[in-house]
Each structure stands twice: as structure tokens, then as C-alpha cells.
Amino acid sequence: RKEVEQDPGPFNVPEGATVAFNCTYSNSASQSFFWYRQDCRKEPKLLMSVYSSGNEDGRFTAQLNRASQYISLLIRDSKLSDSATYLCVVEPNTGGFKTIFGAGTRLFVKA
Amino acid sequence: DTAVSQTPKYLVTQMGNDKSIKCEQNLGHDTMYWYKQDSKKFLKIMFSYNNKELIINETVPNRFSPKSPDKAHLNLHINSLELGDSAVYFCASSPTTTGLAKNIQYFGAGTRLSVL
């Protein structure tokens, strides 16, 4: 089993739709979780950290389910500008500064 | 006032050559990384330095040698380039603090390496 797994997509949704992505991780001792966004031919950028209690930032909501070892990202009222690849990132708590990136989920929002 | 800058942005070279990629961050971070993103877009960590000390060294051919002259710089030298080295190489940095912030990484724009 891969350390971090994501559905590669692509997810094709119309503007205004709600879309959700899941990401599973294998190390139950993992401590920190993040969602990054990567636009085509650009560098990854932090979208949001994922807190144990779940957190929201505008149209974006992140959830953590430790029992089932997955994190989720919900995007409400999708915009054309949300089209990107969304990377799930997990710190496996092996000490040090290592983080594991998922392969990403591609999202296309169409007019 | 770019936070993490890499040079060059594009690198096209022949097999067997030796090349270097430079990275500098002006964020005052203690930790820097090199990642490789291949054609399948999978982002894989190669190396990490904390205060000029190597702390992560993944399974990478020893043709790849990182060098950190100070904590604001992390360069990557590649010897005897091979076709399979073609990829985008990203430099990143993160602060050394406690809590969640220590693993938030800031990436450079990437270096697109093509080996012919």
C-alpha cells in the first residue's frame, strides 16, 4: 500500500458545483496533514493545513478522519480558477522533517 | 523579492554531462529540500538540509550531490546525466518551529531538466 494515496481523477465539474476529494494514508502515527494546490507547470502552494477538528477557509473545508486514516477536501461553489491539481501531504511522524506527497487529484471546472 | 528562487528555470543538456541547479531562500527558514517531479507528476523528496546539515537522503543515485554552503542556499549537482533524470526539480524551504508550521513548505518555481 502506498504511504499516501489519492484518486488521480480528473474530476470534471461545472462552475458552481460542490466537489470532494479524499486521500488515504498508511501510517496511523501520522501527525500533520495538508492540502497543496499545483497549477499546470507551476510549483505547489499550500492551500490549507488540516486540523483534527476539521477546518474551513472560505469555500474550502478540510476534514481528518483518524479512525479510517483519510483526509478530505471539499470545495463549494467551484470557480473556473479552482482548476488545478490538489496534492495531499502527510507527515508520517518518523522524526525529522519528512513529508509525503500524494500523486495529486486533477480538477477541471468548466463554464 | 521572490521567497524561494531557483536557477536555471530550464536546462537542456546531453547525456553524460554534469550540471548544477542553485536554490536560495530569503525567508529565514532553517530547512531546505530538493524534490523531483517526474512525467507522471509524482513529487518525490530527494534531500533535506536543516541548518546546513543533511537530514533526509532518500534513495537517490550518488550522481546527485546536494551542497548547502549556508542555510539560505541549497544547490544540487548532478554528474553523468541520464535520460531518466529528465524531470522538474523543485527546491523548497520550511521554518523550524514547533507545531504545524514547521512542515509548511514554500516552493521555488522549479527547474525543467531535459536530458537528450
Side-chain angles (χ1 to χ4, degrees):
Chain A
R1 184 181 172 185
K2 285 184 187 168
E3 290 178 279
V4 177
E5 283 199 82
Q6 295 182 250
D7 179 347
F11 285 64
N12 293 290
V13 303
E15 267 188 298
T18 296
V19 62
F21 313 132
N22 280 347
C23 165
T24 58
Y25 59 94
S26 60
N27 186 334
S28 60
S30 296
Q31 292 293 315
S32 303
F33 308 89
F34 309 89
W35 284 102
Y36 279 69
R37 171 194 169 129
Q38 187 172 22
D39 291 294
C40 189
R41 300 183 69 79
K42 299 282 188 182
E43 72 273 23
K45 290 183 179 175
L46 179 71
L47 178 66
M48 58 198 303
S49 303
V50 185
Y51 303 130
S52 297
S53 53
N55 47 300
E56 191 173 304
D57 183 2
R59 299 181 293 108
F60 298 84
T61 301
Q63 296 278 354
L64 167 63
N65 185 318
R66 285 195 184 274
S68 301
Q69 292 180 211
Y70 73 85
I71 66 171
S72 63
L73 178 68
L74 181 80
I75 306 175
R76 288 182 299 278
D77 189 22
S78 298
K79 311 287 184 199
L80 295 176
S81 57
D82 293 335
S83 298
T85 297
Y86 291 85
L87 304 169
C88 168
V89 182
V90 176
E91 184 209 342
N93 196 33
T94 52
F97 301 85
K98 185 175 177 179
T99 50
I100 310 291
F101 281 74
T105 297
R106 296 194 72 188
L107 171 66
F108 292 103
V109 181
K110 50 191 193 300
Chain B
D1 58 344
T2 305
V4 182
S5 58
Q6 299 179 224
T7 54
K9 202 164 180 175
Y10 299 95
L11 190 49
V12 181
T13 188
Q14 300 284 337
M15 274 176 59
N17 284 350
D18 303 338
K19 290 292 177 186
S20 291
I21 308 172
K22 295 186 176 180
C23 179
E24 175 181 3
Q25 53 95 5
N26 62 6
L27 296 166
H29 290 168
D30 293 326
T31 306
M32 295 185 73
Y33 309 79
W34 276 112
Y35 287 88
K36 178 180 179 181
Q37 189 169 43
D38 59 27
S39 56
K40 293 182 181 173
K41 308 298 182 189
F42 189 56
L43 196 67
K44 192 165 181 189
I45 191 165
M46 300 172 70
F47 303 102
S48 177
Y49 273 72
N50 179 255
N51 278 318
K52 302 194 299 174
E53 188 180 330
L54 182 66
I55 53 170
I56 295 174
N57 185 352
E58 291 295 289
T59 309
V60 175
N62 58 15
R63 299 182 294 104
F64 290 78
S65 51
K67 274 206 174 72
S68 182
D70 55 63
K71 71 175 194 178
H73 295 84
L74 180 61
N75 304 323
L76 183 65
H77 187 76
I78 315 170
N79 288 328
S80 304
L81 277 154
E82 300 177 357
L83 293 175
D85 297 333
S86 296
V88 182
Y89 292 83
F90 286 103
C91 176
S93 70
S94 65
T96 305
T97 60
T98 55
L100 288 175
K102 78 172 167 68
N103 274 330
I104 293 175
Q105 295 175 43
Y106 298 79
F107 284 81
T111 295
R112 281 154 185 81
L113 171 64
S114 295
V115 182
L116 307 177

